[in-house]
Amino acid sequence: MAGARAGQTDTLPPDVAESELEAHGARLRQWFDDIGDVVVAFSGGVDSALLAFVAHDVLGQRAHAVTAVSPSLAGQEYDDCARLAREWGLRWSSVTTDEMESAAYRVNNPDRCYHCKDALMRAVEPLSASATVVLGVNTDDLHDHRPGQAAAQEWGARFPFVECGIDKAVIRALSQRYGLSTWCKPAMACLASRIPHGTEVSVQLLSRIERAEAVVRTLVGGNVRVRDHGEVARIEVDAGSISSLVSHRELILDGIRALGYRYVAVDLHGFESGSLNPVSAMRS
């Protein structure tokens, strides 16, 4: 079984009962067997990787994994998709999405993700004439601010994990059981999620964020976010990695200031998924 690679979390295997795991795995496989041909939105993250792997295992070439390419997808994530597709023998291709051409997306209101997912669905539509588009939304995602889910459903997309009652812990546990190196991969949202609502999204800004996070990732593993607040780069890492982050203070300051940030701040709360969402978890 593949262990964690550089940049992955040090997460222990999720504590999921064996009988529960067996039932979830069987239910997911049966779901794909029943649905038939699918197009899997494949970003290379923990969720979509398991979805693509199981779909391919059940359906073979009737499962088509598709990666959406845009400035909001980090280059390393695309490389991960290509590598996993080769390793697993997936039927895989990429499509270019055009959300950056939409003023409604660039203005970056709280419904930004709606316009992004709408662009994704338009891009994959020519590939899904006789197939069902499936996304790696899990039951935990239903409790967060994710307007993109509504856009996908309007296009007829399905969420197998939700329909099978599968949460993130089960996804990681199943991924580990199947020997997938992605089981302990950190969560990775699109780069636009690092920009506060109301600040316009631009290719230049997304590129700067990607390069800033690359600086941090070379020094600290686990979850990494660089939230862009104009002149300020606010770094979020896992709480247990903050001391390690600070120990690399000079390297991080030099690398991030070179990208045009005047101030570099460390969020002492630690990493929080969706911390810029209009409704985020209550901080302690």
Side-chain angles (χ1 to χ4, degrees):
M1 181 181 301
R5 296 180 293 115
Q8 291 186 314
T9 71
D10 56 0
T11 302
L12 294 173
D15 186 15
V16 181
E18 185 66 23
S19 59
E20 181 185 355
L21 198 59
E22 186 75 31
H24 280 306
R27 191 176 301 117
L28 184 61
R29 295 178 64 84
Q30 186 62 54
W31 191 94
F32 280 111
D33 194 43
D34 291 342
I35 203 72
D37 294 10
V38 295
V39 170
V40 182
F42 180 47
S43 68
V46 182
D47 302 336
S48 70
L50 177 63
L51 207 60
F53 179 85
V54 174
H56 172 73
D57 198 41
V58 174
L59 299 172
Q61 295 302 297
R62 295 171 64 196
H64 186 179
V66 178
T67 300
V69 179
S70 77
S72 66
L73 177 72
Q76 182 59 54
E77 294 302 292
Y78 178 85
D79 293 343
D80 280 353
C81 288
R83 175 181 58 81
L84 293 172
R86 289 193 302 270
E87 288 180 7
W88 300 343
L90 303 180
R91 176 189 173 195
W92 175 70
S93 61
S94 62
V95 294
T96 301
T97 57
D98 62 358
E99 66 268 22
M100 288 299 299
E101 297 177 18
S102 166
Y105 173 84
R106 294 193 309 273
V107 74
N108 196 18
N109 285 332
D111 66 347
R112 181 197 67 239
C113 291
Y114 178 95
H115 304 290
C116 180
K117 202 65 70 181
D118 185 65
L120 166 67
M121 297 302 298
R122 278 189 282 106
V124 301
E125 185 184 26
L127 305 175
S128 60
S130 59
T132 301
V133 178
V134 296
L135 278 66
V137 178
N138 65 70
T139 58
D140 292 335
D141 296 329
L142 302 180
H143 308 296
D144 198 0
H145 176 75
R146 307 217 175 184
Q149 294 173 11
Q153 288 177 310
E154 287 172 9
W155 282 88
R158 302 277 293 272
F159 306 153
F161 292 142
V162 172
E163 295 183 32
C164 293
I166 293 175
D167 62 14
K168 194 75 165 192
V170 171
I171 289 170
R172 289 194 184 277
L174 280 175
S175 298
Q176 189 194 43
R177 165 181 271 211
Y178 298 152
L180 310 186
S181 61
T182 51
W183 79 266
C184 54
K185 185 176 181 179
M188 186 67 178
C190 76
L191 293 170
S193 67
R194 281 65 154 168
I195 304 171
H197 293 298
T199 299
E200 184 170 348
V201 178
S202 69
V203 173
Q204 294 77 14
L205 187 51
L206 294 171
S207 175
R208 180 165 78 156
I209 292 168
E210 180 177 6
R211 287 177 288 156
E213 290 191 352
V215 170
V216 180
R217 290 181 199 281
T218 61
L219 301 168
V220 179
N223 291 294
V224 171
R225 297 288 186 274
V226 175
R227 311 289 187 187
D228 186 286
H229 298 274
E231 292 186 320
V232 180
R234 176 169 60 89
I235 303 173
E236 294 181 13
V237 296
D238 296 320
S241 298
I242 291 176
S243 59
S244 177
L245 179 75
V246 174
S247 72
H248 296 295
R249 173 179 173 274
E250 294 298 333
L251 288 173
I252 290 172
L253 280 173
D254 289 345
I256 293 184
R257 282 179 173 170
L259 299 174
Y261 290 103
R262 185 175 180 184
Y263 304 104
V264 181
V266 177
D267 192 324
L268 296 180
H269 176 77
F271 168 73
E272 180 183 337
S273 179
S275 67
L276 291 178
N277 285 347
V279 180
S280 61
M282 179 70 71
R283 293 190 169 207
S284 57

